[in-house]
């Protein structure tokens, strides 16, 4: 396949970068987990929750290095936090990234996009629509996500997967090259899948 042959140029050295990323995320997530805010009136510490994006990324990194038990713990923590109802977009993306609850992921993203019509909301809608089998909606939404020319590897990766699903291989290849050029380690699992699928 031309797409698989051409993507060979996108190969990088992921191990060192992944190690650095894992360390940084671990630090950030740990800080988020122990962070406390103080009321200006009572000076009483009140707990704040870790950003679920960090928790999910830590789970993915654990999965990537075969720490499956730790990964499951982080995924369960992610579910607890996301069920608070204030991290809808992260929840939708998590489901889509892990190919679970795909119709629910799309429903969450669609509702979120009605309220927050920014490019990342459009990206979440596009990605979940693709995973839910709604290719036409995914194509329209990803164009909205890319409308400002934002240089984000994950946006380009999602655009590439949508283009591939639409059998436009040249466009898919271009998006994958752009994602790799910007950040070959844009996501612990998705970047690894991109390399595995398209570098042979």
């Amino acid at each position: 396949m031309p797409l698989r042959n051409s993507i060979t140029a996108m190969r990088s050295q992921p191990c060192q970068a992944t190690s650095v990323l894992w360390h940084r995320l671990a630090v950030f997530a740990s800080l988020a987990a122990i962070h406390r805010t103080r009321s200006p009136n009572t000076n009483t510490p009140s707990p704040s929750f870790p950003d679920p994006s960090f928790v999910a990324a830590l789970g993915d990194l654990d999965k990537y290095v075969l720490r499956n038990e730790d990964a499951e713990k982080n995924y369960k923590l992610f579910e607890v936090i996301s069920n608070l109802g204030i991290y809808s977009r992260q929840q939708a993306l998590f489901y889509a990234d892990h190919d679970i609850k795909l119709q629910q992921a799309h429903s969450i993203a669609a509702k979120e996009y009605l309220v927050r019509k920014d490019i990342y909301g459009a990206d979440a809608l596009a990605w979940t629509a693709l995973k839910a089998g709604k290719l036409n909606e995914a194509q329209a939404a990803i164009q909205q996500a890319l409308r400002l020319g934002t240089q984000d590897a994950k946006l380009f990766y999602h655009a590439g997967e949508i283009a591939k699903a639409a059998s436009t291989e040249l466009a898919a290849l271009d998006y994958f090259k752009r994602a790799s050029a910007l950040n070959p380690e844009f996501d612990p699992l998705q970047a690894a899948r991109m390399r595995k699928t398209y570098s042979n």
Side-chain angles (χ1 to χ4, degrees), residues 10 14 20 38 51 76 126 128 130 144 164 180 190:
M10 293 165 51
V20 171
R38 292 183 178 274
D51 186 319
K76 287 177 181 177
T128 57
L130 175 67
Q144 289 299 308
K164 180 171 71 75
S180 183
Q190 306 303 317

Side-chain angles (χ1 to χ4, degrees), residues 162-184:
I162 292 168
K164 180 171 71 75
S167 300
T168 52
E169 289 196 352
L170 290 179
L173 174 61
D174 180 62
Y175 284 127
F176 292 137
K177 284 182 174 178
R178 291 164 75 179
S180 183
L182 279 171
N183 181 4

Side-chain angles (χ1 to χ4, degrees), residues 3-200:
L3 183 57
R4 293 192 178 189
N5 293 337
S6 301
I7 207 74
T8 302
M10 293 165 51
R11 282 186 180 274
S12 61
Q13 298 177 352
C15 296
Q16 183 177 358
T18 300
S19 177
V20 171
L21 177 61
W22 193 96
H23 174 73
R24 288 178 180 173
L25 282 170
V27 171
F28 291 149
S30 296
L31 288 173
I34 64 174
H35 175 68
R36 298 290 184 271
T37 58
R38 292 183 178 274
S39 165
N41 297 324
T42 64
N43 201 35
T44 302
S46 58
S48 61
F49 295 98
D51 186 319
S53 298
F54 288 131
V55 176
L58 282 172
D60 288 345
L61 286 164
D62 284 328
K63 197 81 171 176
Y64 186 75
V65 296
L66 304 180
R67 297 176 180 171
N68 293 325
E69 289 186 8
D70 290 337
E72 288 305 315
K73 288 177 183 177
N74 279 311
Y75 291 158
K76 287 177 181 177
L77 176 58
F78 175 89
E79 285 280 7
V80 170
I81 299 170
S82 63
N83 284 334
L84 296 173
I86 56 176
Y87 296 107
S88 299
R89 187 174 296 175
Q90 292 94 324
Q91 184 179 28
L93 288 169
F94 178 84
Y95 289 159
D97 285 346
H98 295 84
D99 293 311
I100 58 174
K101 304 180 183 178
L102 298 179
Q103 297 301 324
Q104 183 179 346
H106 176 257
S107 178
I108 292 170
K111 290 176 182 176
E112 167 80 6
Y113 191 57
L114 289 175
V115 178
R116 297 170 59 199
K117 292 192 174 183
D118 56 34
I119 61 169
Y120 289 103
D123 174 63
L125 180 60
W127 188 231
T128 57
L130 175 67
K131 292 300 185 85
K134 303 175 186 295
L135 181 57
N136 289 339
E137 183 179 355
Q139 288 176 298
I142 200 63
Q143 291 307 311
Q144 289 299 308
L146 298 172
R147 72 184 186 274
L148 301 179
T150 304
Q151 300 297 295
D152 186 316
K154 188 170 283 191
L155 292 181
F156 291 139
Y157 170 68
H158 291 167
E161 289 292 341
I162 292 168
K164 180 171 71 75
S167 300
T168 52
E169 289 196 352
L170 290 179
L173 174 61
D174 180 62
Y175 284 127
F176 292 137
K177 284 182 174 178
R178 291 164 75 179
S180 183
L182 279 171
N183 181 4
E185 296 298 327
F186 63 88
D187 181 273
L189 293 185
Q190 306 303 317
R193 288 174 183 169
M194 186 173 71
R195 285 194 302 272
K196 183 177 179 180
T197 303
Y198 302 110
S199 62
N200 296 325

